[in-house]
Amino acid sequence: MSMDTQTDLKRELAFLREQMHASDQKIARLQNALDDCEDRLESSGLAAMLRAARLERDQLNTVIMRQVDSNAVSLQAVILDRQETIRQAAGPQALRWQRGHSTPTAYWDAEIRQAYLDDLLRRFHAWQHGRPYYPPATSVRDTHAAAPDYAHPWYPASPDGSDQAQAGAEPPVTVSDEALADALKHAGCPPDHLTIVVEPDGFVLATGYAHSEAEREQCLAALVSVEGVREVLTGIVIADPAHCPVCQAAQATGRARH
C-alpha cells in the first residue's frame, strides 16, 4: 500500500469515527427519551426512531469493517458497493408486495439503510472538501420559527452531531497493544482467534471469531475495561469450534505435523 493510500485510509477512518460517535450519541438520547416517556403513542414513535438509529449504526459498522478489510479501496467505493448489495437484496421484497397487504418490514429496513448510506456519502463529500454539511430539505419550514432544528433531547446538540471539546480537557490516554492483549488473556479469550487494531483517540477495531455469544461479550467487556478505550467496533463472528476457521486451521496443522 502506498503512502498516499495509507494517508487516505487514516483520514477516512477518522471521518467514520466521527460518524460513529454521532450515531452513539443519537442512540443514547433516543434510549433515554424512551426510558423516560410515559405516553404510549410517543413511546411507539421513539421506539421506531431508536430501531432506525440502530439499523443506521449497523450499516456504519459494516462500512467501517469493509473499509478496514479492503485497505486500498476508497470509502466512496465501499459505500456504493454496500448500496448496490442492499438494493439487490430489497428487490425481491418489492416484487412480492400485493395490494391490500402491509409492506414487509425487511423492505422498510432496506429503505432506512439506503437513505442512511446516501446521507453518509453526502457527508463524506462535504467533509472531503472542508465545507459544512446541510441535510437535504424534507419539508417546508417556517423561517421565523424560534425552535431550533435539533430541539428534541434525542437529537444531537448541533447539526453535525459533534460536541465541542471542553476547554482544558485532559489529553486521551494512549492505548497499548500489550494492555489489550493482557485484558483478553485474563478474560480467557483465545488470542489467536482475534485481530485487534488500535486507532488514535481510544478507537479499537476487533475482528475474528468467538465460539458463543457469551464469549464474544466477554471479549468485548475485556477490551472496554482497558484504560483509554473509548469505542470498540467489532466484527467478531460467532462460530462453533466445529466450524471455526481458526480451530480448523489449527487441527489441520496438527495433523500435518503428525
Side-chain angles (χ1 to χ4, degrees):
M1 187 188 303
S2 68
M3 186 65 67
D4 289 342
T5 301
Q6 288 181 336
T7 301
D8 289 342
L9 178 59
K10 289 182 177 179
R11 293 184 71 251
E12 290 168 354
L13 286 175
F15 164 77
L16 292 171
R17 287 199 300 273
E18 292 177 4
Q19 302 308 306
M20 182 63 75
H21 180 60
S23 179
D24 286 341
Q25 284 187 315
K26 180 178 180 181
I27 290 173
R29 288 187 171 96
L30 281 167
Q31 185 64 66
N32 290 337
L34 180 59
D35 292 342
D36 295 337
C37 184
E38 297 180 356
D39 182 82
R40 179 179 298 180
L41 184 59
E42 185 177 356
S43 293
S44 177
L46 285 170
M49 294 173 67
L50 179 59
R51 183 175 184 277
R54 286 172 172 161
L55 284 174
E56 292 173 354
R57 192 190 190 284
D58 288 343
Q59 281 308 295
L60 183 56
N61 185 77
T62 300
V63 168
I64 292 176
M65 285 302 165
R66 288 283 304 278
Q67 181 65 2
V68 172
D69 291 341
S70 62
N71 289 326
V73 178
S74 69
L75 177 57
Q76 175 171 308
V78 170
I79 295 174
L80 292 175
D81 180 71
R82 184 61 190 158
Q83 285 183 310
E84 181 60 27
T85 299
I86 294 173
R87 189 176 297 112
Q88 292 179 1
Q93 297 290 343
L95 293 175
R96 285 198 292 267
W97 179 83
Q98 296 180 4
R99 186 180 299 276
H101 294 264
S102 60
T103 305
T105 302
Y107 176 83
W108 292 120
D109 288 352
E111 288 293 300
I112 291 172
R113 295 185 180 102
Q114 285 282 24
Y116 176 74
L117 291 173
D118 285 339
D119 184 74
L120 181 64
L121 190 56
R122 286 192 292 266
R123 286 180 182 275
F124 177 58
H125 287 160
W127 181 84
Q128 272 185 314
H129 296 91
R131 62 173 185 262
Y133 173 70
Y134 299 101
T138 56
S139 61
V140 178
R141 296 182 57 84
D142 180 5
T143 56
H144 300 289
D149 289 345
Y150 294 85
H152 299 296
W154 50 85
Y155 279 121
S158 58
D160 63 358
S162 62
D163 289 339
Q164 297 295 326
Q166 296 181 355
E170 296 182 0
V173 177
T174 301
V175 181
S176 68
D177 294 331
E178 293 77 10
L180 294 172
D182 288 343
L184 290 173
K185 181 180 179 180
H186 290 316
C189 301
D192 60 333
H193 280 53
L194 300 176
T195 299
I196 308 298
V197 179
V198 182
E199 294 290 333
D201 301 327
F203 188 77
V204 175
L205 300 173
T207 58
Y209 298 91
H211 295 159
S212 67
E213 182 67 29
E215 182 178 290
R216 177 179 177 274
E217 293 301 320
Q218 186 176 357
C219 295
L220 291 178
L223 294 173
V224 172
S225 70
V226 176
E227 183 181 6
V229 173
R230 293 178 51 197
E231 177 80 26
V232 176
L233 189 63
T234 177
I236 300 176
V237 177
I238 298 175
D240 61 80
H243 300 91
C244 175
V246 180
C247 292
Q248 290 180 337
Q251 292 174 359
T253 302
R255 287 195 297 268
R257 289 175 179 172
H258 291 296

